[in-house]
């Protein structure tokens, strides 16, 4: 049951109650939040697991210690984990909607639902282990979780996490991104930001306005000396010719 980390404490508690969850995994930042939820005693949570603690504290388990304990059991011949039988059609994931028009709805998915989508993606998109995919959508949404996190792990390509929404244009370049999963609204934001920050870097005497026509961006790779004779007209001092920006 993935939850939005930005939910207020009452929404987190209600989601735990509605999902009938028995364990919760969280980062250290949320320790006080879950201590309050535990004190309220309204949920069925039996195990509180922190991803950052090195050892158990105040009845809050350490994720790392649990992993180490599991490795020791396997090393000693315990194979209970590998014997678990999976029903591919059984409900395995509960997803809460945004709830913008009222109480959030719950979407029920099976392992077959998720795996069939990941498998189907491989027939449409071919990724290599040297491809880099930028991730910036919420991972608690099935779209980002399936199309980026699970798909990239399945195909072996690399996941690069954006520093922030504003840093996406920068991250696309510095991480050498070859693929990205996004929504139309975000593309519009990125397009507007790129539009505002384009700078014509050819050396010149006076400012040149670089225009974008038909939504195409023309990148200049040469760097001669220029001076402006009028807006959008650039003259090459060395050659005496002029260049119109169309």
């Amino acid at each position: 049951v993935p939850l939005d980390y930005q939910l207020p404490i009452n929404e987190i508690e209600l989601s735990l109650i509605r999902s009938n969850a028995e364990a919760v995994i969280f980062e250290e930042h949320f320790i006080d939040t879950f201590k309050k939820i535990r004190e309220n005693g309204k949920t069925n949570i039996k195990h509180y697991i922190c991803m950052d603690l090195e050892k158990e504290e105040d009845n809050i388990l350490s994720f790392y210690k649990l992993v180490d304990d599991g490795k020791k059991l396997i090393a000693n011949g315990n194979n209970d984990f590998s014997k678990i039988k999976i029903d591919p059609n059984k409900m395995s994931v509960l997803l809460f909607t945004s709830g913008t028009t009222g109480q959030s709805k719950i979407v029920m998915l099976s392992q077959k639902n998720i795996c069939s989508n990941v498998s189907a993606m491989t027939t449409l998109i071919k990724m290599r282990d040297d491809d880099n995919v930028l991730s910036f959508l919420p991972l608690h949404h099935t779209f980002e979780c399936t199309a980026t996190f699970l798909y990239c792990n399945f195909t072996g390509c690399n996941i690069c996490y954006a520093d922030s929404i504003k840093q996406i244009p920068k991250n696309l370049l510095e991480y050498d991104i070859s693929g990205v999963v996004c929504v139309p609204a975000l593309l519009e934001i990125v397009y507007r930001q790129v539009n505002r920050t384009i700078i014509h870097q050819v050396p010149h005497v006076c400012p040149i306005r670089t225009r974008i026509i038909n939504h195409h961006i023309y990148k200049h790779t040469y760097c001669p000396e220029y001076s402006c004779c009028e807006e959008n007209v650039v003259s090459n001092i060395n050659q005496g010719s002029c260049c119109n920006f169309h």
Side-chain angles (χ1 to χ4, degrees):
V1 185
L3 297 179
D4 185 349
Y5 74 95
Q6 294 180 318
L7 289 175
I9 185 171
N10 62 308
E11 286 289 333
I12 294 176
E13 185 176 46
L14 181 60
S15 297
L16 295 175
I17 294 172
R18 295 176 65 194
S19 63
N20 199 30
E22 295 183 345
V24 59
I25 303 175
F26 51 90
E27 64 179 6
E28 193 171 12
H29 174 73
F30 290 94
I31 283 183
D32 291 338
T33 296
F34 285 103
K35 281 184 177 180
K36 291 178 182 178
I37 291 175
R38 184 173 62 184
E39 291 171 1
N40 291 340
K42 296 180 181 179
T43 71
N44 291 323
I45 298 295
K46 300 176 183 177
H47 308 289
Y48 293 85
I49 306 168
C50 180
M51 293 185 289
D52 302 307
L53 294 180
E54 294 184 0
K55 59 182 180 179
E56 182 177 342
E57 295 181 11
D58 194 18
N59 292 323
I60 295 178
L61 302 174
S62 163
F63 179 81
Y64 292 111
K65 187 176 184 305
L66 290 175
V67 172
D68 288 338
D69 291 345
K71 289 180 179 179
K72 291 176 183 178
L73 288 173
I74 294 174
N76 292 329
N78 187 306
N79 60 353
D80 290 346
F81 182 79
S82 61
K83 289 182 178 180
I84 296 175
K85 294 183 178 180
I86 297 175
D87 182 353
N89 295 307
K90 181 181 179 181
M91 190 277 292
S92 299
V93 181
L94 285 179
L95 296 168
F96 286 91
T97 62
S98 59
T100 52
T101 58
Q103 192 177 60
S104 59
K105 306 296 188 297
I106 299 177
V107 178
M108 298 182 292
L109 296 176
S110 67
Q111 293 203 26
K112 186 175 181 179
N113 291 143
I114 300 292
C115 292
S116 61
N117 281 341
V118 174
S119 179
M121 286 182 64
T122 62
T123 66
L124 301 173
I125 307 171
K126 302 299 181 183
M127 303 294 283
R128 303 186 303 272
D129 57 6
D130 59 346
D131 280 317
N132 297 325
V133 177
L134 188 66
S135 175
F136 49 83
L137 295 176
L139 275 173
H140 63 277
H141 288 181
T142 185
F143 180 50
E144 176 69 6
C145 182
T146 303
T148 298
F149 181 73
L150 294 178
Y151 174 75
C152 288
N153 277 282
F154 183 72
T155 58
C157 55
N158 306 303
I159 304 176
C160 304
Y161 292 98
D163 298 325
S164 68
I165 297 297
K166 292 183 179 180
Q167 296 298 320
I168 288 176
K170 174 186 174 184
N171 293 154
L172 289 172
L173 294 175
E174 63 184 2
Y175 297 152
D176 192 21
I177 298 300
S178 50
V180 63
V181 176
C182 60
V183 292
L186 195 51
L187 284 177
E188 293 175 2
I189 294 174
V190 173
Y191 176 76
R192 287 197 299 268
Q193 185 175 350
V194 171
N195 236 348
R196 288 195 300 267
T197 57
I198 289 178
I199 299 176
H200 187 64
Q201 297 183 350
V202 177
H204 53 272
V205 176
C206 53
I208 301 172
R209 296 186 199 173
T210 301
R211 289 182 175 177
I212 299 178
I213 306 298
N214 296 328
H215 306 293
H216 289 289
I217 302 172
Y218 293 92
K219 183 178 180 182
H220 300 277
T221 56
Y222 53 92
C223 210
E225 294 183 5
Y226 288 105
S227 66
C228 291
C229 54
E230 63 183 65
E231 179 184 348
N232 294 326
V233 178
V234 183
S235 295
N236 187 319
I237 296 175
N238 296 332
Q239 301 299 325
S241 61
C242 62
C243 170
N244 291 310
F245 284 81
H246 296 293

